[in-house]
Amino acid sequence: MAKPLQIEVYNPNGKYRVVSTKPMPGTRWINLLIEQDCRLEICTQKKTILSVEDIISLIGNKCDGVIGQLTEDWGETLFSALSRAGGKAFSNMAVGYNNVDVNAANKYGVAVGNTPGVLTETTAELAASLSLSAARRIVEADEFMRAGLYDGWLPHLFVGNLLKGQTVGVIGAGRIGSAYARMMVEGFKMNLIYYDLYQATRLEKFVTAYGQFLKANGDQPVTWKRASSMEEVLREADVISLHPILDKTTYHLVNKESLAMMKKEAILVNCSRGPVVDEVALVEHLKENPMFRVGLDVFEDEPYMKPGLADMKNAIVVPHIASASKWTREGMATLAALNVLGKIKGYPVWSDPNRVEPFLDENSRPPAACPSIVNSKSLGLPVSKL
Ligand SMILES: NC(=O)c1ccc[n+]([C@@H]2O[C@H](COP(=O)([O-])OP(=O)(O)OC[C@H]3O[C@@H](n4cnc5c(N)ncnc54)[C@H](O)[C@@H]3O)[C@@H](O)[C@H]2O)c1
Ligand SMILES: O=C(O)[C@H](O)CO
């Protein structure tokens, strides 16, 4: 028989059994659960990615809800196990939920939570950092210094791209894509071209107003354009950042053909999900186009990189850290815990998952609602009037 996984138990006599597959930052989420009569079991096993079998053993015979991670495969097997154990709630500690089979959750009547909003600016800031680092070749220059290769200023040393006046392209102008666009437009006076299935009205208004402000002050105004196809963005933009969800329509959105449409000196940033980019085609493109640069937070076969990527000087790679600020990660833990708690308690679903601030205020009790349940309509869950 497999050895049981290590767990830490809080409030052993609590009425509802909630499992968290990982320790998460902060203590507020723990306190919120135990104050509301939950027995909380946190898996502390030193194993980064838990298997489906590991999670089945954590669920056991009686489990009211699980807080899980984006690295876990939440499909038919886990939802049926959770349902057999009496569970009615699961929440990812992430906004993206491509690791979750929502149809399977619907079949077993399990609510699926996610954590939107709290990570919008944090993730956009990382995308902006990667854009800048790629444009100004910061990682290459840092390696050069540390290798003791710097022997004096030279006119050609690490010459990169100036962002001001160039065009930033955003594919997927939702919460994070729009926040990133605002940063690049306002911070670096870039013009914007974006592609999304929906019009980003607030973003357009922001760029228009900022352009008018610049003009009134005698500066060159910034402009925006909603592209009618992704290809238009690829052809026109100097820096392109990917922020769509991962689904069938965005899998390998950037591939050999689309890379060939981009400018030879363009910068591509991906802080969405790895499979949005065909990484094998990207490695080839980086090899053939040394002036093309890329900043990646996510990878097609995470945690692995496709062969050759790590050798490319024109690639900056970081380990899926876009939401990694203390405040954000603590907030994500809180939202995930409140999704599970709210469903267990029979609370309604918060009416606007884009406005989750009331749940994050440490000085007041959170609203009696689930902050964000992605299958609330399918399950016919009531919506909060608050
Ligand atoms: N790297 C990280 O750590 C990190 C952190 C947070 C989020 N993410 C990823 O970012 C994604 C976006 O998060 P968000 O909060 O901005 O979500 P969101 O739902 O607000 O935005 C996603 C946008 O993508 C658009 N979209 C969907 N299909 C598209 C298509 N085929 N072409 C173009 N646009 C399309 C949607 O219309 C929407 O506007 C998440 O789903 C997650 O996968 C990654
Ligand atoms: O989807 C998400 O939330 C990220 O990938 C982790 O923050």
Side-chain angles (χ1 to χ4, degrees):
M1 219 174 86
K3 253 173 74 180
L5 299 173
Q6 276 182 356
I7 54 163
E8 209 166 84
V9 180
Y10 291 79
N11 194 28
N13 297 323
K15 179 170 166 197
Y16 309 104
R17 179 168 175 264
V18 173
V19 168
S20 174
T21 62
K22 285 274 168 240
M24 300 189 293
T27 50
R28 184 164 177 252
W29 70 277
I30 298 176
N31 295 332
L32 287 168
L33 287 172
I34 61 184
E35 277 162 16
Q36 297 274 341
D37 212 6
C38 293
R39 170 193 166 102
L40 172 63
E41 295 187 18
I42 304 177
C43 178
T44 53
Q45 190 75 21
K46 295 257 169 297
K47 180 178 182 189
T48 305
I49 301 180
L50 296 184
S51 66
V52 166
E53 291 70 34
D54 292 333
I55 300 172
I56 289 177
S57 81
L58 288 174
I59 290 172
N61 298 328
K62 191 231 172 232
C63 179
D64 295 285
V66 177
I67 303 163
Q69 301 298 323
L70 61 86
T71 46
E72 298 157 6
D73 181 7
W74 277 85
E76 174 82 25
T77 313
L78 285 183
F79 285 118
S80 67
L82 182 56
S83 166
R84 273 196 309 278
K88 287 273 175 275
F90 164 77
S91 183
N92 241 11
M93 183 213 173
V95 65
Y97 54 91
N98 51 289
N99 61 312
V100 181
D101 179 346
V102 180
N103 289 331
N106 291 342
K107 178 173 157 192
Y108 292 100
V110 177
V112 173
N114 71 340
T115 63
V118 64
L119 43 63
T120 298
E121 303 290 328
T122 321
T123 305
E125 282 181 14
L126 200 272
S129 310
L130 289 174
S131 306
L132 253 72
S133 305
R136 302 304 300 272
R137 306 174 63 185
I138 290 172
V139 175
E140 278 176 84
D142 177 279
E143 281 170 0
F144 176 88
M145 283 298 286
R146 288 169 201 271
L149 296 171
Y150 182 51
D151 57 4
W153 190 91
L154 280 173
H156 284 295
L157 194 60
F158 290 109
V159 170
N161 306 0
L162 172 70
L163 297 180
K164 182 170 186 251
Q166 290 208 326
T167 299
V168 63
V170 172
I171 296 174
R175 286 176 290 251
I176 298 169
S178 290
Y180 167 83
R182 288 194 301 270
M183 285 175 196
M184 303 309 283
V185 168
E186 188 179 2
F188 305 105
K189 300 194 175 66
M190 298 186 82
N191 297 312
L192 170 68
I193 179 165
Y194 78 91
Y195 175 69
D196 197 294
L197 309 178
Y198 303 97
Q199 187 175 7
T201 315
R202 285 179 67 193
L203 175 60
E204 292 175 1
K205 280 188 184 152
F206 172 84
V207 183
T208 302
Y210 186 51
Q212 285 163 352
F213 168 82
L214 290 174
K215 199 170 169 194
N217 285 281
D219 288 327
Q220 178 74 17
V222 287
T223 60
W224 62 265
K225 176 161 131 186
R226 181 182 178 196
S228 54
S229 67
M230 181 189 77
E231 288 70 25
E232 206 178 324
V233 177
L234 298 177
R235 286 199 185 91
E236 290 185 22
D238 301 288
V239 179
I240 295 162
S241 198
L242 306 172
H243 298 285
I245 56 164
L246 171 62
D247 66 5
K248 285 199 287 291
T249 69
T250 60
Y251 176 79
H252 281 193
L253 198 64
V254 174
N255 53 29
K256 191 173 181 331
E257 291 70 42
S258 38
L259 285 163
M261 290 173 195
M262 294 174 67
K263 296 182 183 179
K264 293 278 178 222
E265 298 193 5
I267 291 168
L268 176 69
V269 169
N270 188 10
C271 287
S272 60
R273 283 290 183 265
V276 172
V277 176
D278 176 347
E279 211 171 290
V280 169
L282 177 65
V283 173
E284 280 314 301
H285 193 78
L286 287 165
K287 280 184 191 156
E288 285 161 18
N289 297 278
M291 301 305 284
F292 182 91
R293 289 194 280 273
V294 71
L296 301 174
D297 181 51
V298 287
F299 304 88
E300 196 167 351
D301 304 323
E302 235 165 274
Y304 308 107
M305 284 187 274
K306 292 287 190 199
L309 183 57
D311 303 325
M312 301 309 305
K313 288 268 180 235
N314 45 349
I316 298 172
V317 289
V318 295
H320 204 150
I321 54 168
S323 66
S325 79
K326 184 175 178 291
W327 180 84
T328 298
R329 288 282 167 88
E330 289 185 5
M332 290 163 72
T334 297
L335 295 181
L338 290 176
N339 281 329
V340 169
L341 179 69
K343 183 67 177 65
I344 290 173
K345 289 277 182 180
Y347 296 159
V349 176
W350 191 241
S351 57
D352 185 357
N354 292 320
R355 306 212 172 274
V356 290
E357 294 79 10
F359 295 93
L360 302 171
D361 178 359
E362 307 223 350
N363 301 315
S364 63
R365 291 196 71 75
C370 302
S372 176
I373 300 292
V374 303
N375 57 347
S376 58
K377 279 204 184 94
S378 308
L379 297 183
L381 301 179
V383 176
S384 164
K385 299 275 184 300
L386 298 169

